[in-house]
Every structure is written in structure tokens, then in C-alpha cells.
Amino acid sequence: MNIVKAPKQYHVTIKGTKDGLTLYLDDACSFHDLERELEKMLSKRQYIDEDGPLIGVVLKVGNRYLTKRQEERLKTLIRKKRNLFVEAIDSNVVTKEEALKWKQESEIVSVAKIVRSGQILKINGDLLLLGDVNPGATVMATGNIFIMGALKGIAHAGYEGNRESIIAASIMNPIQLRIADLISRSFEMNHENQENGSMECAYINDEETIVMNRLQEISHLRPNLTRFEGGIQYG
């Protein structure tokens, strides 16, 4: 009876790219086995060049959760190999802090009030304001801004840098609009849209400019707007 040995399962796979090396690390084996195999694989001469340039290494760890101590051990191990250094660690695991931040950023915050002159309303996530923004008032959101009323003050969407954010209002007559790092101060009011109840919307186009359009005209450019369809009627 012939016994066929199963092929060895490697815990580390190395692939070279134009930018450096990518290491795919098995996320099911023990950390000890992973560390030992990585040490053995990186000891091969083709990965050591004392006189060569520094080579960045990206670690793909899949569903493995690495503690800070384990991350440092892997970085130290790779740094010992002369001209190698860890450039990034890519993991599918989301920490509690990251999950909380994502929840806050994707949350729809509904506020029913009039934002008066001198007031600043600033929230994480998308803002749905049921009320007006008076001249001299400011509303800010890390995501989109939807105003079911008149925007006559300042609105700043995506204030942490999200250029995909939009600003929409039932009556669009702002002093200033900001999306991420872009600012616009002059807009022509579309009285026809306002008379027929259409919400107007500001967004950044392909030319890196803030432009205005009817809300339903850009919904296909911003798929995240679909979650508002149950609560906002388009004209």
C-alpha cells in the first residue's frame, strides 16, 4: 500500500512587486509557527542585500488579529534582514475603536431646529436637518448634509476630507458652501427647481469644482444617497 504524503502547507507566501515585497501570512496557524517559518524564509539569500536599497514589505495577515506586541515582533524580525522594513500591515480585522468610528461616520443624525446666526451645528456622520440655516449660522458634517428647509448660511460637508459628500437643501441660498477642502461662494439660484419643490444639491464634479444640480440628477454618482430615499421625496 502506497502512502502519499500531503503537500506541505506553507504559512508564508512571498510575492515581489514593483514597489517591494508582499507577504501573505496564514491566519489559521499559531503565531509561533508563523514567526518560525517567516524567519526561515527570509533567511534565504535572495532577500538579503546589504548594499542594496531599502525594500518595503507589506504584510497581508487576513483574519488574524495581531496584538501590538506581535506586530512589533514581526517588524523587528523583518528589520533584521538588512535592507527590509515593514511598510504596512493589512488586516481584515476591525478593532472596536475602528468599528465605533465607522458607525459614527456612517450614522444619520436627525436634528429638528433652526440654526440661528452665530450658532454652529457640527456632527459626525450625515446630517438631516429639519429646519433652516439662517444667515451667519454654520452647519458641518463629516458626511452629507440634507436640509429640509432653507440654507441661507454656511454649510460644510465632508469636513474631515470626504470629497464624495454632498450638500442638499429645499431652498438653496447659501452664503458659502464647502465640501472637504473646496470652497464656493457664488451660485445662481434655480427658481424653477424651488418652485416645483425639487431639492438642489451641491457636489464636487470631475473638474474638482463645486457645482449645483437637482438632487435626483446626481443620485447615480453617489450610491450612498439611496439610504435617504425612504425619507426624502424628490421633485
Side-chain angles (χ1 to χ4, degrees), residues 99-110:
L100 180 59
K101 182 179 179 182
W102 177 85
K103 179 179 181 295
Q104 291 174 339
E105 291 177 347
S106 61
E107 200 172 37
I108 302 171
V109 179
S110 178

Side-chain angles (χ1 to χ4, degrees), residues 5-231:
K5 292 185 178 180
K8 175 179 173 56
Q9 295 296 315
Y10 291 102
H11 301 314
V12 180
T13 303
I14 298 181
K15 291 187 178 180
T17 68
K18 61 182 180 65
D19 299 317
L21 294 176
T22 299
L23 273 59
Y24 296 86
L25 308 184
D26 183 5
D27 56 12
C29 69
S30 71
F31 182 78
H32 173 73
D33 290 342
L34 180 67
E35 198 174 26
R36 184 173 56 184
E37 185 169 313
L38 181 61
E39 167 78 33
K40 181 178 179 181
M41 183 169 289
L42 290 179
S43 296
K44 296 179 180 178
R45 296 186 62 85
Q46 68 258 39
Y47 301 119
I48 302 176
D49 185 357
E50 296 185 23
D51 300 322
L54 286 175
I55 298 175
V57 176
V58 176
L59 301 181
K60 300 276 190 178
V61 300
N63 295 325
R64 178 186 295 275
Y65 172 72
L66 291 175
T67 65
K68 292 296 182 182
R69 183 170 179 270
Q70 289 174 335
E71 286 186 7
E72 286 305 316
R73 287 178 63 171
L74 292 178
K75 290 179 180 179
T76 300
L77 175 61
I78 291 172
R79 278 198 299 265
K80 288 180 179 179
K81 304 308 171 185
R82 309 295 181 177
N83 60 323
L84 301 181
F85 72 98
V86 175
E87 187 173 15
I89 298 177
D90 186 3
S91 172
N92 297 333
V93 178
V94 178
T95 65
K96 182 179 179 180
E97 291 75 17
E98 291 171 334
L100 180 59
K101 182 179 179 182
W102 177 85
K103 179 179 181 295
Q104 291 174 339
E105 291 177 347
S106 61
E107 200 172 37
I108 302 171
V109 179
S110 178
V111 178
K113 65 176 293 184
I114 295 174
V115 187
R116 304 186 186 279
S117 178
Q119 294 180 332
I120 299 175
L121 176 61
K122 184 176 181 180
I123 60 99
N124 288 323
D126 294 329
L127 170 63
L128 177 59
L129 178 65
L130 307 177
D132 298 335
V133 181
N134 287 349
T138 300
V139 291
M140 302 174 64
T142 57
N144 305 300
I145 295 176
F146 290 85
I147 300 171
M148 306 301 289
L151 171 56
K152 299 178 181 179
I154 298 173
H156 188 178
Y159 70 78
E160 289 187 345
N162 183 3
R163 288 191 165 202
E164 293 296 302
S165 299
I166 70 161
I167 301 169
S170 300
I171 300 175
M172 184 75 82
N173 189 20
I175 295 174
Q176 182 187 94
L177 294 181
R178 298 181 183 181
I179 300 178
D181 57 327
L182 297 186
I183 301 175
S184 186
R185 292 183 177 85
S186 60
F187 288 102
E188 291 185 5
M189 295 176 61
N190 191 321
H191 296 284
E192 181 181 349
N193 284 346
Q194 296 184 6
E195 288 173 0
N196 63 27
S198 295
M199 292 188 72
E200 289 191 289
C201 175
Y203 65 100
I204 298 176
N205 65 7
D206 293 337
E207 285 72 43
E208 299 290 295
T209 302
I210 297 177
V211 296
M212 193 86 72
N213 209 328
R214 298 172 68 199
L215 181 58
Q216 63 268 40
E217 296 297 327
I218 70 153
S219 59
H220 65 285
L221 298 177
R222 302 291 190 269
N224 64 323
L225 296 181
T226 57
R227 56 183 166 161
F228 287 96
E229 289 182 353

